């Protein structure tokens, strides 16, 4: 099998441009189509797509899901993206770029329900599903051919069609021999796409900028470029010993990724959507200094746990409970993943600033959509966060040896 029609599911043993059964041009074709089993599924502009599904009058309008003028964009539809709007953009900049956009406050209960509908269908095919967030996951379909009535590629085309028919939402799928290439593939043809990478992957990756590699954020990208590694092909051609000498274990991982190699398994037991720490006050607090004094130890506690568990996150969530027991939550997506108290505190304090002026009875800080730190080791390698991480990791060791009171961090860490 080298071709599958995404409309009628007709298969062919040769790569075809047009389906011989229904005349559709929506064909998945690749010489290795029947041999690949690792997939990455990504919902298209998820929050915005849910809103458009539920409000058909918004179908042809630019839609932004996010907070008020002082908030940020959670996600936006593809129409809004044509104006330059993107996730994590400050809302005032997004509205300046696209003043006619319809702005909708996030409704996470709807998004969770939609996510559960999508991934319950995925888990009917295999238990080997590792979710990254509400809207994306890796899937391992190895050995499921007889159980599910066809090779993984066929199952995924059928799954994509089923999700669209049953939920009214579209997903893009990448199929490849490993997790890294599957994720790259899923980005090649969005929205509603299906792309395949096999032994042709290295040639496709070679001209791509190094930023396509997981863990290469803005800071590390500049470092690589200044060292002469502007493209993935530059890294692939480099002597691995030189990369290790420059970047340590990260250099070895970069070399493997540049050659399309990734030995990580799909691990459903490592699923974790978030982690948090919170405290309820004996008396209601209003002053910024008092709230910050409660926030800092929570940041230390959460950061230490993140380091112990080997995870990090770009998504920081602040939780406040008012005296009328209403809960206020605010979140921000950072440019780089973090796992230090200093970074958590800085983000939490910024999120709290607009909410000051009323009393609160509880405060909490959380990390949403956490990943294994190995997902982005280089983002933590050459940045201000990396330098703070070294200090806080040293403090972890001292506290483990001499007790929690061995080192008391000064508020100079507020940054």
């Amino acid at each position: 099998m080298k071709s599958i029609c995404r409309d009628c599911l007709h298969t062919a043993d040769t790569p075809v441009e047009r389906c011989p059964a229904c005349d559709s041009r929506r064909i998945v074709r690749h010489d290795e189509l029947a041999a690949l089993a690792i997939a990455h599924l990504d919902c298209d502009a998820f929050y915005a797509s849910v809103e458009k599904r539920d409000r058909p009058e918004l179908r042809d309008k630019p839609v932004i899901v996010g907070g008020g003028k002082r908030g940020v964009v959670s996600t936006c539809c593809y129409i809004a993206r044509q104006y330059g709007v993107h996730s994590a953009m400050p809302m005032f900049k997004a509205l300046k770029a696209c003043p006619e956009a319809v702005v909708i406050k996030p409704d996470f209960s709807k998004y969770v329900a939609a996510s559960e509908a999508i991934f319950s269908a995925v888990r009917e095919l295999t238990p080997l599903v590792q979710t990254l967030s509400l809207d994306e996951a890796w899937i391992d379909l190895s050995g499921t051919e007889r159980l599910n009535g066809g090779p993984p590629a066929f199952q995924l085309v059928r799954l994509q069609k089923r999700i669209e028919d049953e939920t009214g939402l579209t997903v893009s799928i990448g199929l490849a021999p490993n997790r890294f290439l599957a994720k790259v593939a899923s980005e090649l043809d969005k929205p509603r796409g299906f792309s395949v990478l096999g032994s042709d992957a290295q040639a496709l990756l070679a001209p791509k900028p190094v930023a396509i590699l997981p863990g290469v954020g803005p800071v590390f990208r500049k470092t690589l470029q200044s060292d002469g590694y502007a493209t993935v092909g530059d890294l692939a051609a480099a002597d691995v010993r030189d990369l290790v000498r420059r970047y340590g274990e990260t250099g070895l991982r970069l070399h493997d990724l540049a050659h399309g190699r990734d030995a990580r398994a799909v691990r459903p037991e490592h699923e974790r959507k978030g982690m948090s720490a919170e405290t309820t006050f004996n008396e209601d607090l209003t002053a910024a200094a008092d709230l910050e004094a409660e926030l800092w130890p929570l940041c230390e506690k959460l950061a230490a746990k993140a380091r112990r568990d080997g995870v990090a996150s770009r998504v920081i969530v602040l939780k406040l409970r008012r005296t009328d027991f209403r809960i206020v939550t605010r979140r921000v997506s950072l440019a780089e993943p973090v796992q230090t108290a200093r970074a958590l505190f800085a983000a939490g304090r910024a999120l709290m600033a607009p909410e000051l002026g009323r009393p609160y009875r509880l405060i909490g800080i959380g990390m949403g959509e956490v990943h294994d730190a190995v997902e982005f080791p280089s983002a933590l390698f050459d940045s201000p966060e990396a330098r703070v991480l070294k200090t806080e990791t040293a403090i972890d060791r001292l506290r483990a040896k001499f007790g929690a009171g061995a080192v008391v961090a000064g508020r100079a860490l507020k940054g």
Side-chain angles (χ1 to χ4, degrees):
M1 182 187 71
K2 295 186 178 180
S3 300
I4 308 172
C5 175
R6 295 170 60 199
D7 288 323
C8 74
L9 306 183
H10 177 81
T11 62
D13 292 332
T14 58
V16 297
E17 296 288 334
R18 189 187 293 269
C19 177
C22 72
D23 206 37
S24 171
R25 290 186 176 274
R26 298 183 68 237
I27 305 294
V28 178
R29 54 184 176 273
H30 196 280
D31 286 342
E32 300 164 54
L33 196 58
L36 303 171
I38 306 299
H40 181 264
L41 182 149
D42 193 6
C43 301
D44 299 321
F46 185 50
Y47 299 167
S49 295
V50 173
E51 298 295 347
K52 286 196 172 193
R53 178 198 65 182
D54 295 345
R55 296 175 57 183
E57 71 274 14
L58 299 178
R59 185 185 65 177
D60 298 323
K61 298 182 181 295
V63 170
I64 296 173
V65 178
K69 289 186 177 180
R70 301 178 72 177
V72 297
V73 175
S74 292
T75 192
C76 60
C77 71
Y78 288 94
I79 297 175
R81 293 181 191 186
Q82 293 176 5
Y83 291 83
V85 181
H86 57 79
S87 298
M89 174 183 278
M91 189 61 68
F92 76 91
K93 289 187 177 181
L95 292 175
K96 185 177 180 180
C98 186
E100 62 268 45
V102 178
V103 179
I104 300 175
K105 184 178 179 180
D107 184 346
F108 288 100
S109 62
K110 287 201 304 186
Y111 310 148
V112 169
S115 175
E116 289 175 350
I118 289 170
F119 288 109
S120 65
V122 175
R123 289 186 174 89
E124 289 181 19
L125 300 178
T126 175
L128 296 180
V129 181
Q130 182 175 343
T131 56
L132 294 152
S133 60
L134 288 178
D135 59 347
E136 65 174 317
W138 279 298
I139 308 164
D140 186 348
L141 288 164
S142 302
T144 62
E145 289 86 344
R146 293 183 62 184
L147 180 66
N148 295 326
F154 181 81
Q155 297 177 48
L156 290 165
V157 170
R158 186 175 58 192
L159 171 70
Q160 188 181 45
K161 189 173 188 299
R162 175 187 172 185
I163 289 171
E164 187 168 350
D165 290 344
E166 294 183 0
T167 72
L169 301 169
T170 65
V171 300
S172 294
I173 293 176
L175 179 64
N178 59 53
R179 281 172 43 174
F180 164 57
L181 292 179
K183 186 169 175 61
V184 170
S186 71
E187 296 289 336
L188 295 177
D189 181 27
K190 290 180 67 70
R192 205 175 175 228
F194 194 123
S195 297
V196 183
L197 286 177
S199 56
D200 54 345
Q202 189 173 344
L204 182 142
L205 288 173
K208 301 289 186 182
V210 289
I212 197 175
L213 300 177
V216 180
V219 174
F220 193 52
R221 172 180 56 80
K222 291 180 181 178
T223 299
L224 289 170
Q225 288 176 335
S226 66
D227 290 343
Y229 306 116
T231 68
V232 176
D234 294 334
L235 288 169
D239 188 320
V240 65
R241 292 169 295 185
D242 185 48
L243 293 177
V244 172
R245 186 163 52 250
R246 288 174 182 266
Y247 314 118
E249 290 185 9
T250 298
L252 180 60
R253 176 165 170 74
L254 288 173
H255 192 260
D256 282 341
L257 292 174
H259 285 85
R261 298 191 292 261
D262 182 6
R264 295 171 301 161
V266 174
R267 298 175 293 178
E269 71 275 9
H270 278 225
E271 291 181 18
R272 178 187 284 155
K273 290 185 172 64
M275 54 198 297
S276 62
E278 62 183 46
T279 185
T280 301
F281 316 137
N282 292 327
E283 298 180 359
D284 298 339
L285 300 179
T286 303
D290 294 336
L291 290 165
E292 290 176 6
E294 297 289 342
L295 178 61
W296 172 254
L298 296 177
C299 293
E300 284 198 305
K301 178 181 178 181
L302 182 61
K305 178 172 174 55
R307 292 191 292 271
R308 285 196 305 271
D309 292 356
V311 298
S313 176
R314 293 184 174 90
V315 180
I316 310 303
V317 183
L318 177 76
K319 176 180 177 182
L320 295 163
R321 178 173 288 148
R322 297 177 0 183
T323 53
D324 60 4
F325 288 90
R326 291 186 62 182
I327 294 175
V328 177
T329 59
R330 297 290 181 262
R331 58 194 279 142
V332 64
S333 295
L334 306 177
E336 301 284 7
V338 300
Q339 55 177 185
T340 65
R342 179 173 180 173
L344 292 174
F345 183 77
R349 185 173 57 173
L351 290 170
M352 183 170 61
E355 312 304 324
L356 294 173
R358 67 166 65 239
Y360 294 99
R361 57 183 293 114
L362 172 148
I363 192 169
I365 191 75
M367 300 167 67
E369 302 177 13
V370 301
H371 296 192
D372 290 348
V374 72
E375 289 292 325
F376 26 58
S378 49
L380 301 175
F381 178 74
D382 185 24
S383 66
E385 169 73 357
R387 293 188 286 274
V388 178
L389 179 60
K390 291 179 181 178
T391 300
E392 294 194 14
T393 302
I395 291 173
D396 290 342
R397 291 194 291 267
L398 290 171
R399 287 175 172 168
K401 186 174 182 179
F402 299 109
V407 181
V408 179
R411 289 299 297 278
L413 284 176
K414 286 193 299 183

